């Protein structure tokens, strides 16, 4: 997306001929799927986003939600006063915590599934183990959202195995769990069959 040099346009044409054109509505569809997974019940919400035009279209796919959609320019200073500060901070933590997400790196994820796996680990750490404030140490994001009563420790997470067939998982995330996300550049994509993961 965005402006490309002539060399980048040539490279993109070559990639699209070899692997197909990316879905131009991908952001719209994925945002709608995400919101449907985390907000399945009819309810009223306040949603802060930047001014990307796919967000209103994604919300149009979710008639069960009453959304107060507030936008912030992506050029606004990324300070704690910015309404998008929580997601800007998460973006910073993703880049800071994972070598595969740094801008210039040889540690990039070779497979899309591997990048997804690492981000799920970061989501658990960020919400359940990391303090909301490193100065105050009073709550975690999960505690503030009311889904955890206390901060979890690593031994709490690994104390017992949670079988996906017993605890449930939104349909949209099942292919992540079963590691079924292919990487188009890898022609001989093979799925890892976890015989004991159910």
């Amino acid at each position: 997306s965005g402006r490309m040099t002539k060399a980048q346009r040539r490279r993109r044409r070559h990639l699209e001929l070899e692997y197909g054109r990316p879905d131009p509505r991908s952001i719209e569809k994925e945002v709608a799927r995400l919101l449907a997974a985390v907000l399945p019940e009819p309810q009223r919400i306040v949603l802060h986003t930047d001014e990307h035009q796919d967000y209103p279209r994604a919300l149009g796919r979710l008639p069960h939600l009453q959304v107060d959609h507030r936008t912030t320019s992506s050029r606004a200073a990324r300070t704690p006063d910015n309404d998008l500060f929580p997601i800007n901070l998460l973006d910073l933590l993703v880049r800071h915590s994972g070598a595969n997400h740094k801008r210039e790196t040889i540690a990039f994820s070779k497979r899309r599934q591997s990048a997804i796996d690492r981000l799920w680990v970061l989501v658990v750490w960020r919400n359940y183990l990391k303090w909301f404030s490193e100065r105050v140490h009073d709550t975690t994001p999960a505690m503030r959202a009311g889904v955890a009563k206390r901060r979890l420790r690593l031994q709490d997470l690994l104390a017992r195995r949670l079988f996906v067939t017993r605890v449930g998982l939104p349909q949209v995330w099942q292919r992540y769990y079963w590691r079924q996300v292919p990487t188009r550049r890898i022609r001989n994509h093979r799925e890892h069959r976890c015989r004991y993961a159910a």
Side-chain angles (χ1 to χ4, degrees):
S1 64
R3 293 180 183 176
M4 293 185 284
T5 64
K6 287 182 180 179
Q8 287 172 324
R9 283 197 292 272
R10 280 196 304 272
R11 175 80 173 139
R12 177 162 182 157
R13 277 195 300 272
H14 170 75
L15 291 172
E16 286 180 356
L17 283 172
E18 189 169 355
Y19 302 109
R21 185 170 178 256
D23 185 347
R25 291 278 172 253
S26 177
I27 294 174
E28 174 187 332
K29 292 175 183 176
E30 292 304 320
V31 167
R33 286 175 62 187
L34 171 65
L35 290 174
V38 298
L39 301 166
E41 301 297 325
Q43 58 192 284
R44 219 179 262 276
I45 65 165
V46 175
L47 180 67
H48 293 275
T49 71
D50 62 19
E51 296 168 326
H52 199 295
Q53 293 304 304
D54 281 340
Y55 296 136
R57 288 193 289 264
L59 296 175
R61 293 172 177 258
L62 303 164
H64 71 288
L65 296 177
Q66 294 180 40
V67 183
D68 178 4
H69 184 201
R70 302 176 187 179
T71 61
T72 301
S73 170
S74 55
R75 296 184 179 187
R78 298 189 174 194
T79 64
D81 294 329
N82 186 317
D83 286 332
L84 298 180
F85 180 73
I87 195 65
N88 291 335
L89 176 60
L90 179 61
D91 181 61
L92 182 148
L93 286 172
V94 167
R95 293 178 188 280
H96 175 75
S97 304
N100 60 325
H101 274 86
K102 298 195 188 313
R103 291 187 187 276
E104 301 282 337
T105 182
I106 60 170
F108 66 93
S109 295
K110 312 305 184 283
R111 294 175 182 264
R112 292 173 62 216
Q113 182 66 56
S114 298
I116 290 167
D117 292 344
R118 291 181 70 150
L119 285 174
W120 277 117
V121 170
L122 185 128
V123 165
V124 172
W125 168 77
R126 173 71 175 113
N127 288 307
Y128 293 91
L129 281 80
K130 187 180 184 313
W131 294 113
F132 186 86
S133 167
E134 291 301 332
R135 280 182 284 187
V136 181
H137 285 205
D138 58 347
T139 58
T140 64
M143 292 166 66
R144 287 189 174 205
V147 296
K149 293 181 178 175
R150 63 181 177 83
R151 176 178 177 254
L152 300 184
R153 299 163 301 161
L154 185 59
Q155 49 265 50
D156 297 322
L157 286 175
L158 302 177
R160 64 190 177 99
R161 189 164 178 186
L162 299 176
F163 290 88
V164 66
T165 52
R166 299 178 195 171
V167 299
L169 188 67
Q171 182 69 35
V172 68
W173 291 334
Q174 289 198 15
R175 70 185 190 125
Y176 301 153
Y177 178 86
W178 293 111
R179 310 195 84 241
Q180 295 171 337
V181 178
T183 301
R184 286 193 283 181
R185 291 205 68 160
I186 298 176
R187 298 183 195 283
N188 60 341
H189 171 75
R190 287 182 296 174
E191 292 178 10
H192 178 62
R193 302 292 180 182
C194 302
R195 289 184 294 168
Y196 304 107

